Amino acid sequence: MTPTAILDRTPVTLPSDQDATGRSLGQEELQLLAEVLASGRLTSTRGRFVNLLEQRFAALLEIPHAIACSSGTAAIHAAIAAINPEPGDEIVTSPITDMGAITPILYQGAIPVFADVNPDSCNLTAETIERVLSPRTQGIIVTHLFGNPSEMDDICALAKQKRLPLIEDCSQAYLAAVNDKPVGSLGTIGCFSLQQGKHITCGEGGLVVTHDPHLARRVRLFVNKAWGYGDPQPDHYFLALNYRMSELQGAVALAQLTKLENGIASRIRMAERLTTRLAGLPGIKTPHISFKHRHVYWRYTLRIDPDVIPGGAVALGKILSSFGIANAPRYIQKPAFHCEVIRNQATFGKSRWPFTMARPEAVRYDPENYAGVFKALSEILVLPWNERYREQDVDYLAEKIQEAVLTLQAGGV
Ligand SMILES: Cc1ncc(COP(=O)(O)O)c(C=O)c1O
């Protein structure tokens, strides 16, 4: 097809997860919300919907314990608090993730130590994690970025060998799987976000899952000011916050849960269609997926070779934007360790605590240790993805990407 032929198509407005066009909020949510309001019990300490959500989510993941909370950030915070590192202990994590997965480490007095990523997937690997382990490492957080699982066989083996708790950040990876087992159930603790843009949402919310009853109790206590609800002589046992989910959020999330699998199936079907449509387009790599993995396409990522497509991801993104197609070259503008909070150690007052306890080499962030991170960020172009995309939407996307590539190869806009 010539670029002119493509240009003749009427522009398509794609569904967005930021509003009703791309969300599946409807009668089911309204009905449960009405029940909550009619009951007059809006707190989960008295109501039943958050409790039901926890039971159903645990059943879905075939894991014994699920605890709801107020956000994905709260979920990560509760997971770290459950592990209970000593001040100055190190938690290995990714520099390509949401800041909500990193700041909780500092709030618990631990030091985030950043490992490099595999530029093909933007995920940590056992090899990059192992490189940054130290005698002070007390935990690992892996993020299954964009819905594509990390290489968990190797990472779980490493965590087991080193006896380190492994937190899986599944905020972007509901029902993603490795060897048919859902992420979140593979490590020590799994964390999920229910924020507006995730596979399912209740506006803000989070879920924590674990096989371990001791950790489950600590997580539940942590999101409840460490008050021992139900204990014979309850007390506030340790330093903790109110990170509870309300019944209103619980009702919406419970209804959303019933729609999760269909939404994911649709995301995968449409993503595979785009991959087929883009096959063979020079200079573009479609998502790299291991045969062991189920990628659930929170986002659809392209990697752009600037030697083949002049201007690379940024130039391609600019043309797509001019067509009205949302996209994010680089995904995040910079690795987490270049963000002010980490770079300036901007924590509590002027103290810089807990960075004051860090090993100097753990907080130096030498660029040569992050070749994968810089390569990944310079090549990636992230496209929003949605279960409401139809075949014609995906075909439109494919045509517009082809047109943008041809334009750049012909010498620019
Ligand atoms: C990978 C990842 N981790 C953690 C979070 C934090 O979740 P929340 O925004 O619900 O606090 C998000 C997203 O928002 C995320 O994408």
PDB file of all heavy atoms in Angstrom, residues 71-74 76 97-98 100-101 143 145 169 171-172 193-195 198 204-205 298 331, ligand 1:
ATOM      1  N   SER A  71      -3.746   1.123  47.284  1.00  0.00           N
ATOM      2  CA  SER A  71      -3.063   1.420  46.005  1.00  0.00           C
ATOM      3  C   SER A  71      -1.998   0.357  45.735  1.00  0.00           C
ATOM      4  O   SER A  71      -1.668  -0.443  46.634  1.00  0.00           O
ATOM      5  CB  SER A  71      -2.390   2.797  46.051  1.00  0.00           C
ATOM      6  OG  SER A  71      -1.303   2.780  46.953  1.00  0.00           O
ATOM      7  N   GLY A  72      -1.450   0.400  44.534  1.00  0.00           N
ATOM      8  CA  GLY A  72      -0.320  -0.478  44.236  1.00  0.00           C
ATOM      9  C   GLY A  72       0.892  -0.100  45.070  1.00  0.00           C
ATOM     10  O   GLY A  72       1.666  -0.955  45.502  1.00  0.00           O
ATOM     11  N   THR A  73       1.054   1.203  45.303  1.00  0.00           N
ATOM     12  CA  THR A  73       2.149   1.677  46.148  1.00  0.00           C
ATOM     13  C   THR A  73       2.005   1.107  47.558  1.00  0.00           C
ATOM     14  O   THR A  73       2.988   0.639  48.159  1.00  0.00           O
ATOM     15  CB  THR A  73       2.130   3.228  46.203  1.00  0.00           C
ATOM     16  OG1 THR A  73       2.141   3.731  44.869  1.00  0.00           O
ATOM     17  CG2 THR A  73       3.309   3.779  46.972  1.00  0.00           C
ATOM     18  N   ALA A  74       0.781   1.150  48.077  1.00  0.00           N
ATOM     19  CA  ALA A  74       0.523   0.595  49.417  1.00  0.00           C
ATOM     20  C   ALA A  74       0.810  -0.910  49.431  1.00  0.00           C
ATOM     21  O   ALA A  74       1.328  -1.449  50.426  1.00  0.00           O
ATOM     22  CB  ALA A  74      -0.921   0.864  49.823  1.00  0.00           C
ATOM     23  N   ILE A  76       3.018  -2.558  47.604  1.00  0.00           N
ATOM     24  CA  ILE A  76       4.477  -2.743  47.656  1.00  0.00           C
ATOM     25  C   ILE A  76       4.992  -2.393  49.056  1.00  0.00           C
ATOM     26  O   ILE A  76       5.841  -3.096  49.624  1.00  0.00           O
ATOM     27  CB  ILE A  76       5.181  -1.847  46.601  1.00  0.00           C
ATOM     28  CG1 ILE A  76       4.754  -2.223  45.187  1.00  0.00           C
ATOM     29  CG2 ILE A  76       6.696  -1.879  46.766  1.00  0.00           C
ATOM     30  CD1 ILE A  76       5.502  -3.350  44.536  1.00  0.00           C
ATOM     31  N   THR A  97      10.472   1.449  36.252  1.00  0.00           N
ATOM     32  CA  THR A  97       9.213   1.082  36.886  1.00  0.00           C
ATOM     33  C   THR A  97       8.557   2.346  37.394  1.00  0.00           C
ATOM     34  O   THR A  97       9.078   3.448  37.222  1.00  0.00           O
ATOM     35  CB  THR A  97       9.442   0.062  38.020  1.00  0.00           C
ATOM     36  OG1 THR A  97       8.166  -0.373  38.522  1.00  0.00           O
ATOM     37  CG2 THR A  97      10.234   0.647  39.187  1.00  0.00           C
ATOM     38  N   ASP A  98       7.396   2.178  38.015  1.00  0.00           N
ATOM     39  CA  ASP A  98       6.698   3.317  38.607  1.00  0.00           C
ATOM     40  C   ASP A  98       7.373   3.688  39.927  1.00  0.00           C
ATOM     41  O   ASP A  98       7.817   2.806  40.670  1.00  0.00           O
ATOM     42  CB  ASP A  98       5.246   2.891  38.854  1.00  0.00           C
ATOM     43  CG  ASP A  98       4.394   4.039  39.325  1.00  0.00           C
ATOM     44  OD1 ASP A  98       3.850   4.748  38.457  1.00  0.00           O
ATOM     45  OD2 ASP A  98       4.254   4.226  40.549  1.00  0.00           O
ATOM     46  N   GLY A 100       6.108   4.511  42.543  1.00  0.00           N
ATOM     47  CA  GLY A 100       5.354   3.895  43.646  1.00  0.00           C
ATOM     48  C   GLY A 100       5.877   2.531  44.041  1.00  0.00           C
ATOM     49  O   GLY A 100       5.521   2.003  45.105  1.00  0.00           O
ATOM     50  N   ALA A 101       6.721   1.963  43.203  1.00  0.00           N
ATOM     51  CA  ALA A 101       7.325   0.672  43.549  1.00  0.00           C
ATOM     52  C   ALA A 101       8.682   0.857  44.216  1.00  0.00           C
ATOM     53  O   ALA A 101       9.292  -0.105  44.661  1.00  0.00           O
ATOM     54  CB  ALA A 101       7.476  -0.179  42.286  1.00  0.00           C
ATOM     55  N   THR A 143       9.614  -6.490  38.507  1.00  0.00           N
ATOM     56  CA  THR A 143       8.403  -5.926  37.886  1.00  0.00           C
ATOM     57  C   THR A 143       8.176  -6.650  36.562  1.00  0.00           C
ATOM     58  O   THR A 143       9.103  -6.763  35.769  1.00  0.00           O
ATOM     59  CB  THR A 143       8.617  -4.421  37.604  1.00  0.00           C
ATOM     60  OG1 THR A 143       8.979  -3.788  38.830  1.00  0.00           O
ATOM     61  CG2 THR A 143       7.366  -3.778  37.056  1.00  0.00           C
ATOM     62  N   LEU A 145       7.057  -5.932  33.546  1.00  0.00           N
ATOM     63  CA  LEU A 145       6.726  -4.663  32.900  1.00  0.00           C
ATOM     64  C   LEU A 145       5.865  -4.864  31.651  1.00  0.00           C
ATOM     65  O   LEU A 145       6.128  -5.769  30.846  1.00  0.00           O
ATOM     66  CB  LEU A 145       8.013  -3.915  32.541  1.00  0.00           C
ATOM     67  CG  LEU A 145       7.896  -2.405  32.480  1.00  0.00           C
ATOM     68  CD1 LEU A 145       7.624  -1.794  33.849  1.00  0.00           C
ATOM     69  CD2 LEU A 145       9.156  -1.790  31.888  1.00  0.00           C
ATOM     70  N   ASP A 169       6.132  -7.488  41.398  1.00  0.00           N
ATOM     71  CA  ASP A 169       5.255  -6.349  41.141  1.00  0.00           C
ATOM     72  C   ASP A 169       4.453  -6.666  39.873  1.00  0.00           C
ATOM     73  O   ASP A 169       4.967  -6.597  38.760  1.00  0.00           O
ATOM     74  CB  ASP A 169       6.069  -5.069  40.977  1.00  0.00           C
ATOM     75  CG  ASP A 169       5.174  -3.844  40.791  1.00  0.00           C
ATOM     76  OD1 ASP A 169       3.950  -4.020  40.620  1.00  0.00           O
ATOM     77  OD2 ASP A 169       5.708  -2.721  40.814  1.00  0.00           O
ATOM     78  N   SER A 171       1.615  -5.127  39.004  1.00  0.00           N
ATOM     79  CA  SER A 171       0.674  -4.022  38.766  1.00  0.00           C
ATOM     80  C   SER A 171       0.230  -3.969  37.309  1.00  0.00           C
ATOM     81  O   SER A 171      -0.894  -3.588  37.014  1.00  0.00           O
ATOM     82  CB  SER A 171       1.338  -2.691  39.119  1.00  0.00           C
ATOM     83  OG  SER A 171       1.637  -2.660  40.485  1.00  0.00           O
ATOM     84  N   GLN A 172       1.123  -4.343  36.406  1.00  0.00           N
ATOM     85  CA  GLN A 172       0.815  -4.268  34.973  1.00  0.00           C
ATOM     86  C   GLN A 172       0.588  -5.657  34.381  1.00  0.00           C
ATOM     87  O   GLN A 172       0.573  -5.797  33.159  1.00  0.00           O
ATOM     88  CB  GLN A 172       1.993  -3.586  34.242  1.00  0.00           C
ATOM     89  CG  GLN A 172       2.351  -2.226  34.804  1.00  0.00           C
ATOM     90  CD  GLN A 172       3.526  -1.569  34.092  1.00  0.00           C
ATOM     91  OE1 GLN A 172       4.117  -2.142  33.180  1.00  0.00           O
ATOM     92  NE2 GLN A 172       3.864  -0.355  34.501  1.00  0.00           N
ATOM     93  N   SER A 193      -1.933  -3.442  41.327  1.00  0.00           N
ATOM     94  CA  SER A 193      -2.536  -2.111  41.417  1.00  0.00           C
ATOM     95  C   SER A 193      -3.896  -2.121  40.726  1.00  0.00           C
ATOM     96  O   SER A 193      -4.078  -2.780  39.704  1.00  0.00           O
ATOM     97  CB  SER A 193      -1.625  -1.086  40.740  1.00  0.00           C
ATOM     98  OG  SER A 193      -2.320   0.116  40.476  1.00  0.00           O
ATOM     99  N   LEU A 194      -4.824  -1.361  41.289  1.00  0.00           N
ATOM    100  CA  LEU A 194      -6.162  -1.232  40.685  1.00  0.00           C
ATOM    101  C   LEU A 194      -6.414   0.218  40.259  1.00  0.00           C
ATOM    102  O   LEU A 194      -7.553   0.665  40.180  1.00  0.00           O
ATOM    103  CB  LEU A 194      -7.230  -1.664  41.694  1.00  0.00           C
ATOM    104  CG  LEU A 194      -7.341  -3.177  41.924  1.00  0.00           C
ATOM    105  CD1 LEU A 194      -7.894  -3.473  43.313  1.00  0.00           C
ATOM    106  CD2 LEU A 194      -8.213  -3.823  40.868  1.00  0.00           C
ATOM    107  N   GLN A 195      -5.334   0.928  39.995  1.00  0.00           N
ATOM    108  CA  GLN A 195      -5.410   2.337  39.611  1.00  0.00           C
ATOM    109  C   GLN A 195      -6.081   2.452  38.232  1.00  0.00           C
ATOM    110  O   GLN A 195      -6.155   1.482  37.483  1.00  0.00           O
ATOM    111  CB  GLN A 195      -3.959   2.873  39.675  1.00  0.00           C
ATOM    112  CG  GLN A 195      -3.681   4.221  39.132  1.00  0.00           C
ATOM    113  CD  GLN A 195      -3.205   4.163  37.697  1.00  0.00           C
ATOM    114  OE1 GLN A 195      -2.780   3.109  37.220  1.00  0.00           O
ATOM    115  NE2 GLN A 195      -3.303   5.282  37.010  1.00  0.00           N
ATOM    116  N   LYS A 198      -5.074   0.457  34.892  1.00  0.00           N
ATOM    117  CA  LYS A 198      -4.644  -0.942  34.918  1.00  0.00           C
ATOM    118  C   LYS A 198      -5.678  -1.859  34.234  1.00  0.00           C
ATOM    119  O   LYS A 198      -6.731  -1.415  33.813  1.00  0.00           O
ATOM    120  CB  LYS A 198      -4.391  -1.375  36.358  1.00  0.00           C
ATOM    121  CG  LYS A 198      -3.278  -0.555  37.024  1.00  0.00           C
ATOM    122  CD  LYS A 198      -1.981  -0.638  36.232  1.00  0.00           C
ATOM    123  CE  LYS A 198      -0.775  -0.046  36.932  1.00  0.00           C
ATOM    124  NZ  LYS A 198      -0.745   1.421  36.990  1.00  0.00           N
ATOM    125  N   GLU A 204      -8.533   3.792  42.482  1.00  0.00           N
ATOM    126  CA  GLU A 204      -7.269   3.535  43.180  1.00  0.00           C
ATOM    127  C   GLU A 204      -7.480   2.261  43.995  1.00  0.00           C
ATOM    128  O   GLU A 204      -8.560   2.045  44.538  1.00  0.00           O
ATOM    129  CB  GLU A 204      -6.897   4.664  44.147  1.00  0.00           C
ATOM    130  CG  GLU A 204      -6.818   6.055  43.554  1.00  0.00           C
ATOM    131  CD  GLU A 204      -5.591   6.284  42.679  1.00  0.00           C
ATOM    132  OE1 GLU A 204      -4.688   5.423  42.648  1.00  0.00           O
ATOM    133  OE2 GLU A 204      -5.566   7.337  42.006  1.00  0.00           O
ATOM    134  N   GLY A 205      -6.445   1.457  44.136  1.00  0.00           N
ATOM    135  CA  GLY A 205      -6.573   0.251  44.950  1.00  0.00           C
ATOM    136  C   GLY A 205      -5.394  -0.664  44.738  1.00  0.00           C
ATOM    137  O   GLY A 205      -4.601  -0.463  43.802  1.00  0.00           O
ATOM    138  N   TRP A 298      -0.507  -5.107  28.973  1.00  0.00           N
ATOM    139  CA  TRP A 298      -0.978  -3.844  29.561  1.00  0.00           C
ATOM    140  C   TRP A 298      -0.682  -2.718  28.562  1.00  0.00           C
ATOM    141  O   TRP A 298      -1.483  -1.817  28.367  1.00  0.00           O
ATOM    142  CB  TRP A 298      -0.259  -3.597  30.894  1.00  0.00           C
ATOM    143  CG  TRP A 298      -0.655  -2.312  31.516  1.00  0.00           C
ATOM    144  CD1 TRP A 298      -1.913  -1.969  31.960  1.00  0.00           C
ATOM    145  CD2 TRP A 298       0.179  -1.169  31.745  1.00  0.00           C
ATOM    146  NE1 TRP A 298      -1.884  -0.682  32.458  1.00  0.00           N
ATOM    147  CE2 TRP A 298      -0.631  -0.168  32.341  1.00  0.00           C
ATOM    148  CE3 TRP A 298       1.528  -0.900  31.515  1.00  0.00           C
ATOM    149  CZ2 TRP A 298      -0.130   1.078  32.709  1.00  0.00           C
ATOM    150  CZ3 TRP A 298       2.021   0.343  31.889  1.00  0.00           C
ATOM    151  CH2 TRP A 298       1.190   1.322  32.476  1.00  0.00           C
ATOM    152  N   TYR A 331       8.995   5.413  27.278  1.00  0.00           N
ATOM    153  CA  TYR A 331       8.108   4.998  28.373  1.00  0.00           C
ATOM    154  C   TYR A 331       8.220   5.947  29.546  1.00  0.00           C
ATOM    155  O   TYR A 331       7.349   6.783  29.747  1.00  0.00           O
ATOM    156  CB  TYR A 331       8.393   3.552  28.804  1.00  0.00           C
ATOM    157  CG  TYR A 331       7.593   3.109  30.016  1.00  0.00           C
ATOM    158  CD1 TYR A 331       6.218   3.347  30.096  1.00  0.00           C
ATOM    159  CD2 TYR A 331       8.201   2.454  31.080  1.00  0.00           C
ATOM    160  CE1 TYR A 331       5.485   2.948  31.200  1.00  0.00           C
ATOM    161  CE2 TYR A 331       7.470   2.053  32.188  1.00  0.00           C
ATOM    162  CZ  TYR A 331       6.119   2.313  32.239  1.00  0.00           C
ATOM    163  OH  TYR A 331       5.399   1.919  33.342  1.00  0.00           O
TER     164      TYR A 331
HETATM  165  C1  LIG B   1       4.802  -1.409  37.873  1.00  0.00           C
HETATM  166  C2  LIG B   1       4.047  -0.545  38.829  1.00  0.00           C
HETATM  167  N1  LIG B   1       4.303  -0.645  40.143  1.00  0.00           N
HETATM  168  C3  LIG B   1       3.638   0.093  41.041  1.00  0.00           C
HETATM  169  C4  LIG B   1       2.675   0.984  40.662  1.00  0.00           C
HETATM  170  C5  LIG B   1       2.012   1.821  41.696  1.00  0.00           C
HETATM  171  O1  LIG B   1       0.629   1.604  41.730  1.00  0.00           O
HETATM  172  P1  LIG B   1      -0.370   2.746  42.213  1.00  0.00           P
HETATM  173  O2  LIG B   1      -0.360   3.826  41.203  1.00  0.00           O
HETATM  174  O3  LIG B   1      -1.685   2.027  42.306  1.00  0.00           O
HETATM  175  O4  LIG B   1       0.093   3.222  43.534  1.00  0.00           O
HETATM  176  C6  LIG B   1       2.355   1.118  39.284  1.00  0.00           C
HETATM  177  C7  LIG B   1       1.358   2.019  38.731  1.00  0.00           C
HETATM  178  O5  LIG B   1       0.752   2.857  38.914  1.00  0.00           O
HETATM  179  C8  LIG B   1       3.064   0.328  38.344  1.00  0.00           C
HETATM  180  O6  LIG B   1       2.808   0.424  37.040  1.00  0.00           O
END
